[in-house]
Amino acid sequence: VQLQASGGGLVQPGESLRLSCAASGFNFRESSIGWFRQAPGKERERVACIRASDNTTSYADSLEGRFTISRDDFKSTAYLQMNSLKPEDTAVYYCAADTLWRLCRTSTKGHGMDYWGKGTQVTVSS
């Protein structure tokens, strides 16, 4: 099983980034995918989740509509489009997968998610 997050980097406030999460070794099509992040000195928090089969999405309220999660089941890849980035978005971003939509949607820290990838660093700074 592998989840590989990529696309992070250093950007200025107001700019955009698109993160990718490439998956292999499990049934991606039947898994809910979540993006989580952990900032220095803070606990991990849920950013967004997308459900298998119908692409229902769920977002953290704090994002104010700036981020969009999507998936391409043919490529076994999930994405996180991040717009209008702020310094407080600086964190390591992780993608995770689980067959239970409820778990992804309700777990604020992602506890119990089946699979996790290594994170990708996003730094927003002028």
Side-chain angles (χ1 to χ4, degrees):
V1 173
Q2 189 171 21
L3 287 167
Q4 182 62 55
S6 62
L10 172 63
V11 296
Q12 295 188 343
E15 293 186 337
S16 299
L17 275 177
R18 187 195 196 202
L19 305 184
S20 298
C21 174
S24 62
F26 65 98
N27 194 330
F28 181 87
R29 188 180 297 271
E30 294 188 2
S31 297
S32 294
I33 305 298
W35 283 98
F36 298 81
R37 67 185 181 185
Q38 187 164 17
K42 296 187 177 181
E43 292 186 317
R44 187 172 63 201
E45 63 176 354
R46 185 177 67 93
V47 175
C49 291
I50 186 166
R51 185 162 66 180
S53 74
D54 67 358
N55 292 344
T56 296
T57 57
S58 176
Y59 296 91
D61 292 339
S62 61
L63 296 179
E64 302 172 324
R66 298 181 294 118
F67 292 8
T68 302
I69 189 172
S70 61
R71 63 191 293 159
D72 184 335
D73 287 346
F74 293 102
K75 296 181 178 180
S76 294
T77 301
Y79 305 96
L80 185 68
Q81 177 68 43
M82 305 186 295
N83 298 328
S84 303
L85 283 162
K86 303 176 180 180
E88 51 263 43
D89 295 318
T90 295
V92 178
Y93 284 70
Y94 301 88
C95 57
D98 199 278
T99 54
L100 294 178
W101 166 242
R102 171 184 56 79
L103 185 62
C104 190
R105 182 174 59 83
T106 62
S107 177
T108 56
K109 297 180 178 60
H111 291 318
M113 296 286 286
D114 283 338
Y115 308 122
W116 287 86
K118 294 181 180 179
T120 184
Q121 176 71 47
V122 172
T123 303
V124 185
S125 175
S126 56

